[in-house]
Amino acid sequence: MNKLSTYAEITWCPGCGNFGILNAVKKVFSELDTKKLVMVTGIGCHGKIADYINVNSFYTIHGRTPATATGIKLGNPELTVVGFAGDGDAYGEGLEHLLFAAKRNIDITMVIHNNRVYGLTTGQFTPTSPAGFKGKSTPRGSPEEPFNPLLLAFCAGATFIARCYSAKSKNLASVLREAINHRGFSFVDVLQPCYTFFNTYDFYNERVYELEDHNPSDREEAEKRIKEWNYDSDGRIPIGIFYRESKPTFDELVLKGLNPSKREARFNVKCFLDRMI
Ligand SMILES: Cc1ncc(C[n+]2csc(CCOP(=O)(O)OP(=O)(O)O)c2C)c(N)n1
Ligand code: SF4
Ligand SMILES: [Mg+2]
């Protein structure tokens, strides 16, 4: 048994793309100092990942993973904070939290299990479901076009932007490693088939390809590649790192070297508040 495994029985459906994410995350976490690692999850099938990995974790409320992760990072900037959210969670209920975390460039990583459906509540459409999607809440097909979450994150100010596919585990692990190492807001959208309510394996297997000869520090080029696929029903789907930029982080700017979790900082509340303002 991997030292990061837990006693919890895995209750994801057989064939769920979350298994690929779990394996890649465990691989990358096993290389880190887990005493300084915290995972935060939203509510949904994705959130169960916290039960299956033996590290410090916080199950927060629907859509609030970036807000909770931000609070943890500001409380102790020495921690590595990795958030896991669903597409309904991060792009529906909690979109504003995601965009403001990107705008602030807080040094956290957000991994989105994007199955393009509300899985846990049995199959309603989400902001990234394709037009025509038939589910519990749209039995005749959703008339809405999806949005492109990478483009939203790019416009909001994310300094690391990537897309992965849960079935390409080597690529997923290597992108996750880079995302966690990046100082600043890292955003990783993972295409994760929901075997039960939106089985997209064939669709992705035909279209997904790995970015090559792409310079993630070229902003114009990154925008072009991000727009190459807009979560609709056509085209090829690039995965990999689209954009990377080095910028001061929110936690550095606000805390200026202070660690509020340390004894001396707690005894000097006034000094801390002065730095915050
Ligand atoms: C504020 C709020 N609204 C609705 C719900 C009900 N709810 C629980 S899980 C869920 C869907 C989660 O979908 P997603 O975030 O895509 O995660 P998945 O199950 O697909 O991994 C909903 C709507 C809730 N718990 N809280
Ligand atoms: S409902 Fe979908 S996302 Fe949830 S465990 Fe089953 S296959 Fe996975
Ligand atoms: Mg979902």
Side-chain angles (χ1 to χ4, degrees):
M1 192 161 114
N2 183 302
K3 70 177 168 112
L4 291 182
S5 297
T6 68
Y7 62 87
E9 182 194 345
I10 299 188
T11 56
W12 287 323
C13 311
C16 177
N18 278 322
F19 287 98
I21 301 180
L22 176 66
N23 291 339
V25 171
K26 273 168 94 171
K27 183 169 175 23
V28 176
F29 278 7
S30 68
E31 300 159 6
L32 302 174
D33 177 1
T34 48
K35 286 202 187 77
K36 294 207 165 162
L37 182 62
V38 186
M39 61 190 294
V40 183
T41 73
I43 301 297
C45 296
H46 64 273
K48 297 179 184 180
I49 196 168
D51 297 335
Y52 307 146
I53 306 184
N54 190 17
V55 300
N56 307 297
S57 60
F58 194 122
Y59 238 127
T60 188
I61 53 174
H62 209 19
R64 273 60 180 179
T65 300
T68 306
T70 296
I72 293 170
K73 186 71 188 178
L74 288 178
N76 184 352
E78 286 173 22
L79 296 175
T80 299
V81 188
V82 186
F84 298 84
D87 49 320
D89 190 80
Y91 304 151
E93 274 83 355
L95 180 63
E96 72 282 22
H97 292 287
L98 183 77
L99 297 182
F100 277 92
K103 175 178 180 289
R104 293 182 181 122
N105 195 32
I106 178 88
D107 182 22
I108 62 173
T109 298
M110 282 297 302
V111 178
I112 315 300
H113 302 223
N114 187 359
N115 52 15
R116 305 168 72 199
V117 68
Y118 286 106
L120 192 72
T121 47
T122 69
Q124 298 81 9
F125 81 115
T126 73
T128 49
S129 303
F133 175 86
K134 286 192 180 157
K136 290 264 166 73
S137 58
T138 51
R140 293 187 200 140
S142 163
E144 294 182 28
E145 294 287 336
F147 60 49
N148 180 339
L150 269 65
L151 195 54
L152 288 176
F154 184 72
C155 294
T159 52
F160 181 103
I161 299 176
R163 181 191 293 126
C164 296
Y165 175 29
S166 59
K168 297 248 179 212
S169 56
K170 228 171 144 185
N171 173 268
L172 176 55
S174 99
V175 169
L176 281 177
R177 199 174 284 118
E178 302 250 352
I180 292 170
N181 283 336
H182 174 76
R183 284 176 75 84
F185 185 78
S186 302
F187 173 76
V188 185
D189 181 73
V190 185
L191 302 172
Q192 174 249 309
C194 167
Y195 194 72
T196 305
F197 297 108
F198 193 27
N199 185 350
T200 43
Y201 280 112
D202 288 346
F203 180 80
Y204 292 140
N205 288 342
E206 278 165 24
R207 292 169 173 80
V208 164
Y209 74 96
E210 291 185 29
L211 280 171
E212 272 175 26
D213 300 327
H214 170 64
N215 175 6
S217 59
D218 181 333
R219 198 168 164 86
E220 254 178 61
E221 185 58 20
E223 186 175 346
K224 252 194 240 159
R225 301 311 293 265
I226 285 173
K227 288 177 172 168
E228 197 173 316
W229 181 60
N230 286 305
Y231 293 72
D232 46 23
S233 307
D234 300 314
R236 295 180 75 217
I237 304 175
I239 58 168
I241 300 168
F242 289 73
Y243 186 61
R244 181 163 28 200
E245 178 191 358
S246 180
K247 245 168 98 170
T249 67
F250 184 73
D251 35 300
E252 284 165 355
L253 294 170
V254 165
L255 297 173
K256 299 188 174 89
L258 201 74
N259 184 336
S261 75
K262 298 270 180 246
R263 203 174 158 78
E264 67 276 16
R266 283 206 300 276
F267 281 111
N268 201 347
V269 175
K270 183 177 177 308
C271 160
F272 177 59
L273 289 176
D274 284 347
R275 285 169 191 233
M276 291 286 282
I277 297 164

